[in-house]
C-alpha cells in the first residue's frame, strides 16, 4: 500500500462434517405377539453435527401379504417432538422414538425403517 507492494498469504483449513444419526440400540427385534396385539420398543436417536434445527421424518415399510393385500403394521411416535435442536454447547439433543407393531393378519418382516431429515439425508 502507498507505493509499497507487499504480498500477504492467508491459509485457511477446515473440516467438513456431514450431519448423521446414530441409534441406541442399533437394531430392533420386536417379540412375536398374538394377532391384533401391539408390541413396541423405544429407541434413542442420537443426532450428530447438525448445525441448524431440523425435523426427522420416518419412512415406514409397507408389507405385502400372501393374498396381495398391503398393510402398514408399524407406527412411530416421538413423545418429546421430532425436532433436532442444537444446545448452547453446540451439541444436538437426543430424541426418543417409540416404535410399535400391530397386525390382524399373520406376518413376519425383516427390513428397514428410514429416518431422514428435511434434506432427505
Amino acid at each position: 500500500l502507498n507505493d509499497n507492494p507487499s504480498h500477504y498469504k492467508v491459509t485457511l483449513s477446515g473440516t467438513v462434517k456431514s450431519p448423521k444419526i446414530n441409534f441406541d440400540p442399533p437394531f430392533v427385534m420386536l417379540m412375536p405377539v398374538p394377532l391384533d396385539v401391539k408390541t413396541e420398543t423405544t429407541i434413542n436417536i442420537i443426532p450428530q453435527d447438525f448445525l441448524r434445527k431440523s425435523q426427522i421424518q420416518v419412512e415406514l415399510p409397507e408389507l405385502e401379504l400372501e393374498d396381495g393385500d398391503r398393510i402398514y403394521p408399524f407406527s412411530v411416535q416421538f413423545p418429546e417432538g421430532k425436532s433436532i435442536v442444537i444446545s448452547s454447547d453446540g451439541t444436538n439433543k437426543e430424541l426418543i422414538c417409540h416404535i410399535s407393531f400391530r397386525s390382524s393378519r399373520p406376518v413376519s418382516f425383516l427390513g428397514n425403517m428410514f429416518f431422514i431429515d428435511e434434506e432427505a439425508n
Side-chain angles (χ1 to χ4, degrees):
L1 302 171
N2 296 332
D3 297 326
N4 185 4
S6 299
H7 293 77
Y8 294 96
K9 181 178 179 181
V10 177
T11 304
L12 301 174
S13 64
T15 304
V16 176
K17 293 184 176 183
S18 296
K20 63 182 175 180
I21 299 173
N22 292 315
F23 300 92
D24 182 30
F27 67 92
V28 172
M29 184 183 310
L30 297 171
M31 299 305 297
V33 291
L35 294 178
D36 218 20
V37 172
K38 181 165 67 170
T39 182
E40 59 189 336
T41 191
T42 299
I43 62 170
N44 290 318
I45 298 173
I46 307 160
Q48 294 179 317
D49 300 324
F50 280 82
L51 300 177
R52 62 181 176 269
K53 187 175 178 179
S54 189
Q55 290 273 334
I56 294 291
Q57 303 296 323
V58 184
E59 293 179 1
L60 297 174
E62 175 187 60
L63 306 182
E64 184 173 350
L65 303 175
E66 290 180 3
D67 63 3
D69 285 349
R70 295 181 179 275
I71 61 171
Y72 290 90
F74 292 97
S75 64
V76 295
Q77 292 182 344
F78 293 86
E80 298 175 7
K82 52 185 177 178
S83 293
I84 296 174
V85 179
I86 302 168
S87 65
S88 59
D89 65 357
T91 59
N92 301 126
K93 182 181 175 197
E94 291 185 11
L95 303 173
I96 297 171
C97 178
H98 297 299
I99 299 173
S100 62
F101 173 90
R102 180 188 306 232
S103 177
S104 59
R105 308 269 300 272
V107 66
S108 175
F109 172 75
L110 174 64
N112 296 311
M113 255 182 215
F114 293 99
F115 292 77
I116 57 175
D117 66 13
E118 294 168 337
E119 297 177 8
N121 295 312

